[in-house]
Amino acid sequence: MQAGRLIVLTGPSGVGKGTLLQLLLQRHPELYLSISATTRSPRPGEVDGQHYYFVSRARFEAMVAGGELLEWAEYAGNYYGTPRAAVEEKIRLGQSVILEIEVVGARQIHQTFPSALRIFILPPNLAELEQRIRDRGQDSEEAIARRLDRAKAEIDAADEFDLQIVNDNLKDALKKIEVAICAANPNIQFG
Ligand code: ADP
Ligand code: 5GP
């Protein structure tokens, strides 16, 4: 059986990665979305083991020390990382796996999985990004400021990625992601 493909989706917080992924997974249930571990507190409606594994800093540090994470990074005061075992198992079984991670982690994946397809999602502009974070209504003023500050540096790194897609019109952005993933992966049907 052919090994699955690793796909990295990166972009500033609030750009619409989660929204796009939800739609992509509805259309392609054969894709597996990795569930990250984080030390951040759950937002209203977020479920442990579904949106993230919400862990203490001590547990996260033990995961790092034990080599349990494929990559990890600090973001806006919290740790985030990709549990290794589930990803490696799905890839081995021929399933394609999506990692929704920030830039520092994406760079680590580029080192360890050079064949991973790396897609960067851009906002139409920074004002629209801020509006989307605010409209989402789930982050404190401090968290919003930290995310916007980090967004500028992340957008500067967009050229490091294989592909840049602007999430202006949601349907158009979704189609572009779908085309890129299908082109890179003969196991996945487009349409
Ligand atoms: P991320 O996962 O990148 O942090 P979300 O998926 O939570 O971003 O999206 C942030 C907000 O932006 C949500 O309220 C979402 O409904 C909205 N959004 C996503 N894509 C678009 C789009 N193309 N146009 C307008 N609003 C969008
Ligand atoms: P949020 O707190 O908005 O859910 O996520 C903050 C940032 O962390 C986002 O850019 C998201 O892509 C990133 N992120 C989520 N999980 C991981 C992970 O496992 N590793 C890394 N490096 N970043 C992650």
Side-chain angles (χ1 to χ4, degrees):
M1 183 190 289
Q2 232 187 346
R5 186 90 192 257
L6 195 59
I7 298 149
V8 174
L9 198 76
T10 301
S13 182
V15 75
K17 301 181 298 296
T19 307
L20 286 163
L21 277 174
Q22 228 185 330
L23 295 170
L24 186 72
L25 291 167
Q26 276 169 19
R27 290 174 62 85
H28 294 282
E30 70 274 27
L31 292 168
Y32 174 76
L33 177 63
S34 163
I35 302 168
S36 299
T38 183
T39 60
R40 153 164 98 57
S41 306
R43 293 184 182 127
E46 283 185 333
V47 177
D48 185 43
Q50 191 178 320
H51 296 91
Y52 280 104
Y53 297 109
F54 295 100
V55 300
S56 65
R57 283 183 96 86
R59 173 70 189 119
F60 194 97
E61 282 160 9
M63 291 169 95
V64 173
E68 291 176 46
L69 300 178
L70 264 190
E71 61 71 37
W72 66 276
E74 187 269 340
Y75 182 99
N78 286 296
Y79 291 139
Y80 295 80
T82 302
R84 177 188 297 278
V87 173
E88 289 185 345
E89 193 203 352
K90 301 289 178 189
I91 296 272
R92 192 171 47 77
L93 293 174
Q95 204 168 352
S96 284
V97 175
I98 303 188
L99 308 184
E100 193 252 271
I101 61 178
E102 52 66 70
V103 168
V104 175
R107 288 189 183 124
Q108 293 170 43
I109 294 294
H110 189 48
Q111 298 299 316
T112 47
F113 286 86
S115 63
L117 172 68
R118 296 179 313 145
I119 302 174
F120 195 95
I121 308 295
L122 286 160
N125 53 60
L126 279 176
E128 171 68 17
L129 182 68
E130 177 167 358
Q131 198 56 51
R132 286 185 193 173
I133 297 177
R134 289 190 181 283
D135 289 350
R136 184 167 63 187
Q138 290 186 333
D139 298 288
S140 66
E141 275 305 315
E142 195 212 346
I144 291 172
R146 292 175 94 157
R147 280 169 159 67
L148 285 174
D149 196 40
R150 178 101 173 204
K152 290 171 196 144
E154 288 189 310
I155 289 169
D156 284 345
D159 286 350
E160 294 174 26
F161 286 70
D162 300 311
L163 194 66
Q164 298 78 30
I165 293 173
V166 179
N167 180 21
D168 192 350
N169 177 288
L170 190 66
K171 269 192 180 164
D172 291 349
L174 179 64
K175 186 154 278 180
K176 285 178 187 160
I177 295 173
E178 204 178 11
V179 167
I181 290 178
C182 295
N185 199 319
N187 294 334
I188 295 170
Q189 300 293 314
F190 175 58

